[in-house]
């Protein structure tokens, strides 16, 4: 924890009202648990997701008091009957993105084996301090995509607006109210019915065929385009409804000056595109691929990253308000990455047999991970009601 000391702190409100990390050495939570389920039984079916998996991590109360008083990292180690164990982790996303989380996990594994930490975390935040007395007012707005011959889709971009002091305050207040309303709609798509979990393996051959069909420049774009179209069909989204696709991109190397890969915290740019369900579903896969590629190019532009930093400096801005401005009931979020070193962790007992999300909160999310076999396959996990999952399994590799 010395190397990752912010994880031992607590969340609090600063004098300005903005949340901040108090590095008070409050500590992290470590729990030991046992299960009467045999580890061998889990191995037999390839660790297929089961409802009790959510009990393998510490469930956190969502109340406001708990939000600010609880540890920012919770670890639960569960011993199974007959041998075998599970390390379950819950981390507050205000602390770290996926890159930083897996940096911590692999460093912990190194310490557990008794070897020196190979990559020390960087905690410097000065690169984000612009020194402006009056931050620029930035809004997240949709614009029609006009490049690459794409029609029928919009992309969200950060846009600066030159407002006077009084106008800035009024605009910020109005915008927050509008964001809360939109975010409520965004939150409505969290699951309210029983869902099932499935993981789809996109092999190198399948990915190659998708890239050829879609003209996608990368495996990620090809797989994401296919999944987006198919999951919206499986959910039977009304054709007149707006649907969106959300990507979070690592910006460590795109900040000026660039950050080290070991920067600890959140360093993500968000890209969102929107179109109608009819346009997405009735179009060829190349349409979805072009839109997703546009998202990636847009959110990783230097100007957009600078606007994001300015946006974050504006009073009362937070991720919830940002998602609220882009909110829609029918969306596909990309979570995790096949580049994360899930199967490179070794705590002294060998590499893990399986790594997966204990619970998925949102219907139709796209959780990416690498193959445990070390090949070029991409695994995509999601959760849907049973009848929707049955249809998705029928079309995911054939539509």
């Amino acid at each position: 924890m010395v190397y990752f000391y912010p994880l031992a702190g607590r969340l609090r409100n600063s004098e300005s009202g903005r949340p901040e990390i108090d590095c008070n050495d409050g500590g992290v939570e470590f729990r030991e648990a046992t299960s009467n389920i045999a580890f061998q039984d889990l191995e037999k079916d390839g660790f297929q997701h089961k409802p009790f998996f959510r009990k393998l991590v510490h469930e956190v109360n969502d109340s406001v008091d708990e939000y600010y008083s609880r540890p920012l990292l919770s670890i639960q180690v569960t011993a199974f009957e007959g041998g075998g164990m599970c390390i379950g982790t819950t981390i507050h996303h205000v602390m770290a993105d996926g890159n930083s989380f897996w940096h911590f996990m692999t460093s912990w594994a190194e310490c557990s084996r008794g070897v020196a930490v190979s990559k020390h975390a960087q905690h410097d935040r000065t690169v984000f301090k612009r020194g402006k007395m009056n931050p620029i007012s930035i809004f997240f707005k949709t614009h029609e995509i006009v490049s690459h011959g794409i029609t029928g889709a919009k992309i969200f971009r950060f846009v600066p607006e030159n407002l006077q002091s009084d106008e800035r305050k009024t605009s910020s207040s109005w915008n927050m109210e509008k964001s809360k309303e939109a975010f409520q709609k965004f939150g409505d798509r969290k699951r309210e019915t029983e869902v099932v979990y499935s993981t789809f393996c996109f092999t190198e051959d399948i990915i190659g065929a998708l890239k050829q069909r879609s003209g996608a420049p990368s495996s990620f774009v090809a797989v994401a385009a296919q999944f987006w179209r198919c999951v919206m069909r499986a959910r039977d989204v009304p054709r007149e409804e707006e649907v969106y696709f959300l990507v979070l991109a690592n910006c460590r190397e795109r900040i000026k000056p660039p950050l080290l890969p070991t920067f600890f915290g959140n360093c993500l740019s968000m890209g969102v595109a929107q179109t109608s369900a009819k346009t997405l579903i009735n179009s060829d896969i190349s349409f979805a691929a072009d839109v997703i590629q546009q998202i990636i190019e847009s959110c990783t532009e230097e100007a957009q990253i600078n606007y994001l930093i300015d946006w974050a400096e504006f009073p009362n801005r937070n991720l919830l308000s940002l998602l609220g401005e882009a909110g829609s009931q029918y969306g596909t979020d990309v979570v995790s990455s096949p580049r994360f070193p899930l199967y490179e962790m070794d705590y002294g007992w060998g590499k893990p047999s399986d790594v997966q999300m204990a619970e998925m909160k949102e219907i139709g999310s796209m959780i990416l991970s690498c193959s445990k076999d070390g090949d070029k396959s991409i695994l995509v996990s999601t959760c849907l009601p049973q009848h929707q999952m049955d249809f998705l399994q029928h079309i995911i590799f054939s539509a």
Side-chain angles (χ1 to χ4, degrees):
M1 295 308 301
V2 173
Y3 300 106
F4 298 88
Y5 63 89
L7 286 174
R10 294 294 184 270
L11 189 64
R12 70 178 183 186
N13 277 329
S14 65
E15 293 181 358
S16 66
R18 184 185 297 275
E20 66 180 15
I21 304 300
D22 180 12
C23 296
N24 60 4
D25 200 23
V28 303
E29 184 177 53
F30 188 90
R31 294 171 171 242
E32 297 180 6
T34 59
S35 172
N36 58 5
I37 296 174
F39 188 81
Q40 290 75 13
D41 291 341
L42 300 178
E43 284 185 306
K44 287 178 182 178
D45 66 358
F47 300 95
Q48 184 176 345
H49 192 281
K50 296 175 177 60
F52 84 87
F53 280 10
R54 71 185 65 175
K55 300 296 183 181
L56 299 176
V57 297
H58 173 49
E59 294 184 293
V60 178
N61 191 320
D62 290 330
S63 70
V64 174
D65 291 339
E66 182 80 1
Y67 181 82
Y68 277 92
S69 63
R70 74 176 182 85
L72 299 170
L73 173 67
S74 178
I75 298 166
Q76 177 177 313
V77 178
T78 304
F80 290 98
E81 187 176 292
M85 63 189 297
C86 171
I87 300 175
T89 54
T90 305
I91 190 169
H92 199 308
H93 215 320
V94 73
M95 280 306 310
D97 56 20
N99 285 278
S100 290
F101 171 74
W102 290 109
H103 179 195
F104 166 75
M105 294 295 285
T106 53
S107 297
W108 178 23
E110 289 174 330
C111 290
S112 182
R113 297 199 311 273
V115 302
V117 172
S118 59
K119 298 178 181 178
H120 286 243
Q122 181 199 33
H123 300 290
D124 180 33
R125 296 295 190 272
T126 56
V127 68
F128 300 112
K129 300 296 183 182
R130 299 306 175 96
K132 296 175 181 177
M133 295 299 294
N134 295 309
I136 299 174
S137 180
I138 304 290
F139 292 95
F140 204 44
K141 295 185 176 180
T142 53
H143 295 268
E144 292 285 350
I145 300 178
V146 294
S147 59
H148 299 284
I150 303 175
T151 58
K154 297 179 180 179
I155 193 165
F156 279 82
R157 297 180 65 87
F158 289 102
V159 180
E161 295 191 3
N162 297 319
L163 303 177
Q164 299 299 319
S165 176
D166 292 340
E167 292 177 313
R168 184 181 292 118
K169 184 182 297 185
T170 301
S171 179
S172 175
S173 175
W174 173 86
N175 189 62
M176 282 300 296
E177 290 302 316
K178 181 180 178 182
S179 296
K180 289 178 181 178
E181 180 181 347
F183 184 73
Q184 183 63 46
K185 184 177 181 181
F186 174 87
D188 285 344
R189 64 193 191 84
K190 290 188 176 182
R191 60 184 183 88
E192 298 177 352
T193 58
E194 287 299 314
V195 297
V196 293
Y197 297 66
S198 286
T199 297
F200 303 93
C201 180
F202 288 79
T203 64
E204 186 175 3
D205 289 343
I206 292 174
I207 294 172
L210 288 175
K211 289 175 71 174
Q212 186 172 14
R213 281 177 52 203
S214 64
S218 69
S219 298
F220 166 76
V221 172
V223 171
Q226 178 70 355
F227 181 85
W228 188 23
R229 296 170 63 244
C230 290
V231 80
M232 289 302 151
R233 282 185 59 190
R235 295 183 65 186
D236 195 22
V237 178
R239 296 303 187 258
E240 69 278 4
E241 286 282 351
E242 294 293 318
V243 297
Y244 76 85
F245 194 89
L246 183 151
V247 173
L248 295 173
N250 177 21
C251 295
R252 286 165 174 77
E253 297 181 357
R254 298 181 174 94
I255 298 288
K256 301 297 182 181
L259 297 173
L260 294 175
T262 53
F263 170 84
F264 187 80
N266 285 283
C267 190
L268 299 169
S269 179
M270 188 172 84
V272 184
Q274 187 181 80
T275 186
S276 69
K278 178 180 179 179
T279 301
L280 175 67
I281 293 171
N282 290 350
S283 299
D284 184 75
I285 186 176
S286 60
F287 170 80
D290 285 343
V291 172
I292 293 172
Q293 183 61 28
Q294 280 284 298
I295 302 174
I296 297 171
E297 293 176 2
S298 174
C299 74
T300 55
E301 291 174 0
E302 182 179 351
Q304 285 295 297
I305 294 173
N306 287 331
Y307 287 148
L308 172 60
I309 296 173
D310 287 329
W311 174 89
E313 286 296 316
F314 198 79
N316 300 320
R317 291 300 176 89
N318 54 51
L319 181 61
L320 297 187
S321 68
L322 183 60
L323 289 174
E325 291 175 68
S328 172
Q329 187 176 359
Y330 299 101
T332 300
D333 311 342
V334 179
V335 182
S336 192
S337 168
R339 296 182 179 180
F340 292 158
L342 276 60
Y343 293 96
E344 295 177 19
M345 295 177 295
D346 182 354
Y347 290 84
W349 314 295
K351 296 182 179 181
S353 300
D354 187 74
V355 182
Q356 61 176 282
M357 286 273 196
E359 184 177 16
M360 305 178 206
K361 292 291 187 181
E362 296 170 0
I363 292 176
S365 288
M366 182 180 180
I367 301 176
L368 302 180
S369 59
C370 60
S371 167
K372 69 177 67 178
D373 298 326
D375 57 23
K376 295 183 180 180
S377 299
I378 296 178
L379 304 183
V380 179
S381 301
T382 192
C383 67
L384 290 170
Q386 183 68 66
H387 69 284
Q388 295 181 5
M389 187 66 78
D390 291 342
F391 187 64
L392 181 62
Q393 291 173 337
H394 177 69
I395 65 173
I396 189 68
F397 297 123
S398 60

